[in-house]
Every structure is written in C-alpha cells, then in structure tokens.
C-alpha cells in the first residue's frame, strides 16, 4: 500500500479521484448531447478515462496485491479502447464518413482486442506483461508489470492511432482554413497530454518510474475534446453554417487578401480558375475581375455580375475583398429577348403606320383617279378606261408591296443552308427581265438564311435594276416570284432611277472570317450620293414608284441581323452590299 500520509501520494490520489469524477460526470453530460458530430465518441472517451482514473486510485491505495492486479486487469479493456475512441472522434468531427463504417472501425479495434486477451493471460506467457510483482518506490507501492513484445506492439499501435487522428484534425484545418483554427488548436493541444504522459510513464525521467501518468492525462484530453464539440462547436455554429453555404453555392466566391493575392475559392470558383490560382495575384489569375471594366463579364459562354465587398478587422483595417460572381446568363438572355421583342413590336408599329399612310394616301389617289375615269367613260370618254386600268394596276402594285412588307420584317426563327448562286439564278429565271443580262461572278457559297426571304431580297434588287418607268415594261402580278404563301411583287424600281433596257446586272461575293458580303450591281444611272442613306426608308421614291421596294430589302436584312448599304458601283450604276451573312459550316 502506498503511504497516504506523504504529500506526493495525497496529491496523486486527489488528482486521480478528481479526474475520475470529472470524466464520468462530463461523459454523462456529453451522452445526453451525443447527436453532435463527435459527441458520442467524446462521451465514451470521458467515461473510459474516468473509470481508468478511479481504478488507478484503487491500485494506489490498496494494500492487497491481488486487488491491485484485479484493478489493473479491469482497467485493461478501458485502456485499450482509448486510442480507438480518439481516432473515431477525429473521423466523426472531420466528417470522414468513409472511415466510420462498422467494418473499418472493427478492423482498427482488432489489435486492441487481441492485446487485451494477451494482457489478461500474460501470467502464462509474458507476451504483453512481464511480471505482476508489487514494487516499492519512495512512498508509492505499485504493481510493476513491465512491457513484453506484445505490450510494445500495443504501445506502437496506440501511438499510431493517436498520430492518425491528429493528422485527420490537421487535414480538417487544411481543408477549411481559418474557420476552424481555434477548434483544431484546442483538439491538438489536448492530444499532447496522453502522448506526453505515456512517454513519461515508459521512460524514467528521474521521478517515480512506477507511477502511471496516463489516467489523469486521458481525462484532461477528454475535457479538451468536450470543449471542442460542445463549447467551441456550438458557439461557431453560425460560422460553420455560413461557410457550408458558401461551399455549396453555385455562384463563384473568390477571397483576395490585402496584398491582392487570392486566399480562398469555393468549388464553383475553382471550376472557372486554374487549380493553382490560390496564392496567385488576382490581377494575374483573373484580370477582368480586378479591373471591373466589363459588367457583366463573360466566362465560358456564361455571364456574371460582380459584387465586391471589403474585409475589415474590428479596427477597420483593410484585410482584403470578397468577390461574388452572380450567374446572370438567364437574366441577360431574357433581357436580350425582351429587347428583340420590343424592337420587333416597334418595327411592326412603324409598318402599321406605313400601311395606314399607304392606304389613306397612296391608295386613295389611284382609287380616286379610277373612280373619276370610270365616270368619264360613262360619258363617252374612250381614253378614260385606259386611265382607270392604269390606276387599278397602281393599286395592285401597292397592295402587293404591302403584303410583301408585312412578311419581310418578321423575325427569322430558323435558318438553313442556302446556295447563293442557286438562289440568284432561280430568282432571275422567274423575273421578266427583258433584254437585261445577268453576270454571276464567283458566288458559289452556301450561307445560313431564310431561303424565301433571301430570294425576296434578291428579287427586289434585280427589279430595281431591270425595270424602267414605263407602264408597259412593268411586270404584272402574275410574273412575281413566289415566296411561301405570299407574293413578293414589290416595285423596287419605285425607289431609284431605272437602268432601262439592255442593263447588265452583276452578282458577286466577298469572303471574310466566316461571313460573306453579297454585292448586286448594275451599269445603269445609279443613285445620287445624297439619296443613298434614305432609299431604304419606307415611302421614299426617287421615281414614280410605291417607295416600298428597297424598304422591304432593309426589313429582310434587319430580320436576319445583316446590314445593307448603297455604294458606288464598279461601272457607275447602282450597287448594294449586304454584309454579315454567315457561312454554313
């Protein structure tokens, strides 16, 4: 029996009893909150440590060697459980669920179970413990067991599990950064106590070599773990929830320090930056983000708005910035579709106004002329019927133009590959061209377009060149080119001066960067410079036409997203260039 009157023995007994009571009480409290991550393991760890401390107090105070040995044997499975509970806690707290399976935990605990069996039977073989004789050292009388080969293997195994659990906690800090700095520090600091106590028990440092320092050290470690889970973990729940939310956000989040270097990225940001972006200068890794010139910015076909917020410490010192990139691709697409729709409605309103103007003015004039001519014919004027026929033909031209104008400006919903040369020759073959000549120069290119409206455009430009001002040479309604369900007979010659008989019309293209420019020119009188900008306006006629022909050309071009302009022709006549026509792959 150890001498209880000596201060070292009293102090050690008090430490063991106090550690035992604290371990059991805190273990019971932790059991009620065992649903917390690592809570169950902390509860069992504290309970086992408390039992070990109380059993060791019995070993110190007992005078009977059999009682000492009995307390030692009872304490053996609790001691073997401690390293297994520690690494299980590390797995639970760090969220390493793949290692918390029943099979793997049983595998980790198997060496400890074998050591318990060997320790209990060591009197027959001495593999785990060498002896069971009481030894007196100063005021302490304790059973000194010694370490056999199996005992040494268990010590290495236990230290290996403690080291593995420590690495898991360190990896948690590496994965989560500063957000778990205090928790990981406390957990790692507590782990030092059983590790150092085990070394002090095995190695003689000049004090009482027979005294085991690990029971009280296990309780101290358990208190640290209790604090990590139930104090620091609870107080930091808001931070953990916020950080978890950031991790699962679909929008990229980039954290830059006050030195302009990237400190942290969430998974969404890692997908748009390189793997080694952390630590790089923000201006190098993501120059468009730092400059802020472009809003929204486009990355891999997606568009992002940038929200920048400063990071300051409690004293207001600048510590960096947080950049949140909100994916606004859907919003921008809706906005673009809305703008296109508004533009389309605006064009439709303009056409309605044009229709009203044509109906109220242009149609009214020939209608009035026809009515007057019919009245004169009734009174015997023979030429009046011819004037009435001219007026009706004029009204027919206007109606045809209005119908074509209604379809020309509709949005192009679908395009398909169209051969320019085939479209040009088809349109020419269906027009009444008289003595005019067509020259196609290297126009063998396939482009993406609405075929009917491309032919409508070409037909109007051809008519602009080949038709002249005399009524007899105008094409009749039956000679118009068919375009879907609507005739496209607008009188392009109504907009500019006519080339007359024997005109030569040339068609060519110019290729550039996946697009082509279609050029249609003639050798007629051409268009005055001052009129080239307004010939595509509805109602503008440089002759006696309807003023709708080239307006339809402009609408077809606009519906495709192309552009058209009147330029100097190679032979001095009218020349029209349509740009931005996409080449079919």
């Amino acid at each position: 029996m150890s001498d209880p009157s000596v201060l070292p023995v009293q102090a050690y007994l008090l430490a063991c009893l106090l550690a035992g009571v604290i371990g059991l009480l805190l273990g019971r409290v932790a059991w009620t909150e065992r649903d917390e991550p690592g809570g169950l393991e902390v509860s069992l760890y504290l309970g086992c440590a408390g039992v070990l401390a109380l059993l060791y107090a019995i070993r110190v105070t007992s005078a009977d060697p059999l009682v000492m040995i009995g307390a030692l044997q009872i304490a053996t499975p609790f001691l073997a459980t401690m390293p297994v509970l520690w690494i299980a806690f590390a797995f639970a707290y760090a969220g390493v669920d793949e290692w918390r399976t029943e099979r793997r935990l049983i595998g980790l605990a198997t060496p400890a179970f074998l050591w318990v069996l060997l320790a209990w039977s060591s009197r027959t073989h001495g593999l785990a413990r060498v002896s069971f004789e009481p030894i007196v050292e100063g005021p302490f009388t304790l059973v000194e067991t010694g370490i056999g080969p199996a005992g040494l293997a268990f010590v290495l195994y236990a230290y290996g599990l403690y080291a593995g659990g420590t690495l898991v906690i360190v990896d948690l800090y590496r994965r989560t950064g500063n957000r778990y700095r205090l928790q990981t520090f406390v957990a790692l600091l507590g782990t030092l106590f059983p590790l150092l106590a085990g070394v002090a028990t095995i190695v003689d440092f000049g004090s009482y070599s027979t005294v085991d320092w690990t029971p009280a050290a296990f309780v101290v470690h358990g208190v640290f773990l209790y604090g990590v889970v139930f104090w620091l973990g609870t107080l930091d729940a808001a931070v953990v929830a916020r950080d978890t939310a950031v991790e699962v956000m679909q929008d990229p989040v980039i954290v830059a320090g006050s030195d302009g270097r990237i400190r942290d990225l969430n998974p969404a940001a890692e997908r748009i930056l390189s793997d080694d972006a952390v630590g790089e200068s923000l201006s190098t890794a993501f120059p468009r983000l730092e400059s802020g010139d472009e809003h929204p910015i486009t990355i891999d076909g997606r568009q992002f708005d940038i929200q920048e917020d400063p990071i300051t410490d409690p004293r207001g010192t600048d510590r960096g910035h947080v950049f949140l990139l909100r994916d606004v691709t859907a919003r921008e697409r809706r906005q673009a579709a809305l703008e296109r729709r508004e533009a389309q409605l605006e064009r439709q309103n303009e056409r309605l106004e044009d229709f009203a103007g044509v109906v109220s003015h242009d149609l009214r004039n020939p209608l009035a002329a026809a009515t007057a001519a019919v009245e004169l014919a009734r009174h015997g004027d023979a030429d009046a019927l011819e004037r009435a026929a001219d007026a009706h033909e004029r009204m027919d031209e206007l109606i045809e133009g209005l119908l074509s104008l209604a379809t020309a400006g509709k949005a192009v919903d679908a395009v398909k590959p169209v051969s320019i040369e085939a479209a040009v020759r088809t349109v020419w073959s269906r027009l009444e061209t008289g003595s005019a000549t067509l020259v196609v120069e290297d126009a063998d290119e396939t482009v993406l377009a609405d075929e009917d409206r491309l032919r409508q455009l070409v037909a109007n430009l051809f008519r602009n060149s080949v038709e002249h001002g005399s009524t007899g040479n105008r094409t009749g309604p039956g000679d118009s080119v068919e375009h879907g369900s609507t005739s496209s007979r607008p009188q392009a010659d109504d907009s500019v001066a006519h080339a007359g008989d024997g005109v030569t019309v040339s068609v060519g293209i110019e290729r550039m960067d996946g697009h082509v420019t279609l050029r249609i020119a003639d050798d007629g009188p051409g268009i005055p410079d001052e009129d080239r900008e307004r010939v595509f306006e509805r109602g503008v006629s440089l002759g006696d036409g309807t003023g709708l022909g080239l307006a339809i050309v402009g609408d077809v071009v606009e519906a495709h997203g192309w552009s058209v302009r009147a330029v100097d022709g190679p032979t001095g006549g009218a020349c029209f260039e349509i740009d931005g026509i996409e080449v079919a792959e």
Side-chain angles (χ1 to χ4, degrees):
M1 175 181 179
S2 301
D3 186 357
S5 63
V6 180
L7 184 60
V9 176
Q10 294 176 350
Y12 192 74
L13 283 175
L14 180 62
C16 286
L17 292 173
L18 184 61
V21 172
I22 292 175
L24 291 176
L25 289 178
L26 278 183
R28 184 175 180 276
V29 173
W31 181 261
T32 63
E33 301 289 340
R34 59 186 179 276
D35 292 335
E36 291 285 337
L40 176 62
E41 290 78 6
V42 170
S43 175
L44 296 176
Y45 195 92
L46 282 167
C48 290
V51 171
L52 281 176
L54 293 178
L55 288 173
Y56 198 75
I58 294 174
R59 291 169 60 188
V60 171
T61 56
S62 175
D64 187 349
L66 292 179
V67 174
M68 294 182 187
I69 294 173
L72 173 63
Q73 297 289 52
I74 294 173
T76 297
F78 293 96
L79 178 63
T81 305
M82 300 306 290
V84 179
L85 289 175
W86 157 245
I87 198 167
F89 162 81
F91 290 153
Y93 191 70
V96 188
D97 294 332
E98 62 270 20
W99 274 94
R100 296 185 68 206
T101 62
E102 182 178 350
R103 178 177 296 180
R104 290 187 173 182
L105 290 177
I106 290 175
L108 290 173
T110 298
F113 176 75
L114 296 177
W115 176 78
V116 170
L117 296 180
L118 292 174
W120 280 347
S121 60
S122 286
R123 286 195 170 188
T124 60
H125 49 70
L127 292 177
R129 291 167 175 160
V130 177
S131 65
F132 291 85
E133 298 298 327
I135 295 178
V136 178
E137 184 179 12
F140 291 95
T141 300
L142 296 167
V143 172
E144 173 62 42
T145 59
I147 300 179
L152 180 60
F154 173 75
V155 170
L156 295 176
Y157 157 80
Y159 271 87
L161 291 187
Y162 270 93
T166 300
L167 292 177
V168 171
I169 298 297
V170 171
D171 181 66
L172 173 65
Y173 173 77
R174 184 190 64 80
R175 288 188 287 114
T176 58
N178 294 338
R179 69 189 72 165
Y180 288 112
R181 172 171 290 178
L182 182 58
Q183 289 94 324
T184 52
F185 173 75
V186 172
L188 296 175
L189 179 63
T191 310
L192 293 176
F193 286 89
L195 295 178
L196 296 178
V199 173
T201 300
I202 297 173
V203 180
D204 184 7
F205 288 107
S207 59
Y208 304 108
S209 59
T210 58
V211 176
D212 191 350
W213 303 96
T214 55
F218 283 134
V219 173
V220 174
H221 186 204
V223 172
F224 274 78
L225 299 184
Y226 182 91
V228 167
V229 173
F230 298 102
W231 293 338
L232 297 179
T234 301
L235 292 176
D236 203 32
V239 176
V240 175
R242 181 194 64 208
D243 293 333
T244 301
V246 170
E247 291 294 314
V248 301
M249 283 178 61
Q250 298 300 314
D251 292 328
V253 177
I254 302 174
V255 180
S258 57
D259 59 355
R261 294 188 176 277
I262 298 176
R263 301 297 189 199
D264 198 8
L265 304 169
N266 73 339
E270 291 173 352
R271 289 192 289 270
I272 65 174
L273 294 178
S274 60
D275 297 335
D276 56 352
V278 175
E280 283 191 16
S281 170
L282 184 63
S283 59
T284 301
F286 208 159
R288 288 179 295 168
L289 181 64
E290 187 180 58
S291 64
D293 293 337
E294 182 185 356
H295 290 280
I297 62 174
T298 302
I299 305 171
D300 296 333
R302 310 291 295 177
Q303 292 180 293
F304 297 88
D305 271 347
I306 304 171
Q307 177 182 332
E308 180 181 355
D309 295 299
I311 303 173
T312 57
D313 61 17
R315 294 175 294 180
T317 305
D318 178 25
R319 296 299 183 187
H321 290 81
V322 176
F323 297 92
L324 173 62
L325 279 65
R326 296 188 180 277
D327 192 332
V328 295
T329 306
R331 185 196 73 188
E332 293 298 315
R333 287 174 179 172
R334 288 194 299 270
Q335 181 64 27
L338 179 60
E339 291 176 355
R340 288 195 300 269
R341 179 59 177 165
E342 290 177 348
Q344 183 179 1
L345 289 175
E346 185 177 350
R347 290 195 301 270
Q348 289 176 351
N349 289 335
E350 290 176 356
R351 275 195 296 276
L352 285 175
E353 293 177 2
D354 292 336
F355 295 164
V358 171
V359 171
S360 64
H361 181 268
D362 293 346
L363 275 178
R364 182 177 296 173
N365 289 338
L367 180 60
T371 302
V374 170
E375 288 296 325
L376 290 175
R378 287 175 178 175
H379 292 83
D381 187 345
D383 295 332
L385 289 178
E386 184 176 351
R387 293 197 298 274
D390 289 342
H392 282 103
E393 184 176 355
R394 175 67 170 172
M395 286 188 287
D396 181 67
E397 293 171 359
L398 289 169
I399 292 171
E400 292 284 350
L402 288 173
L403 291 175
S404 294
L405 191 64
T407 60
K410 288 183 179 179
V412 174
D413 297 324
V415 295
K416 63 180 182 180
V418 180
S419 169
I420 290 181
E421 183 170 1
V424 164
R425 294 191 182 279
T426 298
V427 170
W428 185 265
S429 67
R430 294 178 180 179
L431 286 176
E432 183 177 331
T433 57
S435 60
T437 303
L438 174 67
V439 177
V440 181
E441 302 171 345
D442 189 24
D444 185 15
E445 188 68 79
T446 301
V447 298
L448 295 177
D450 182 310
E451 185 173 10
D452 286 340
R453 276 189 267 183
L454 177 61
R455 290 182 179 181
Q456 187 179 27
L457 177 151
V458 173
N460 283 9
L461 293 178
F462 281 171
R463 285 197 185 94
N464 187 76
S465 296
V466 303
E467 293 183 352
H468 52 77
S470 65
T471 304
N473 289 324
R474 290 185 179 178
T475 54
D479 299 320
S480 59
V481 181
E482 294 183 359
H483 301 293
S485 61
T486 305
S487 174
S488 62
R489 191 195 172 280
Q491 303 303 303
D493 61 322
D494 299 323
S495 297
V496 298
H498 304 292
D501 292 335
V503 66
T504 298
V505 181
S506 61
V507 178
I509 62 172
E510 181 179 340
R511 302 171 182 84
M512 182 179 297
D513 298 331
H515 293 79
V516 300
T517 296
L518 173 62
R519 184 179 294 108
I520 297 178
D522 62 54
D523 56 358
I527 306 172
D529 292 345
E530 63 273 13
D531 295 322
R532 289 177 182 175
E533 292 294 330
R534 65 189 191 96
V535 292
F536 299 102
E537 298 176 8
R538 282 182 282 275
V540 174
S541 175
L542 303 186
D544 59 352
T546 63
L548 298 177
L550 291 183
I552 292 173
V553 171
D555 280 349
V556 172
V557 166
E558 185 177 1
H560 281 86
W562 305 335
S563 63
V564 61
R565 63 181 183 274
V567 299
D568 289 326
T571 58
C575 180
F576 298 92
E577 292 185 348
I578 297 92
D579 296 323
I581 306 176
E582 186 177 356
V583 176
E585 296 293 338

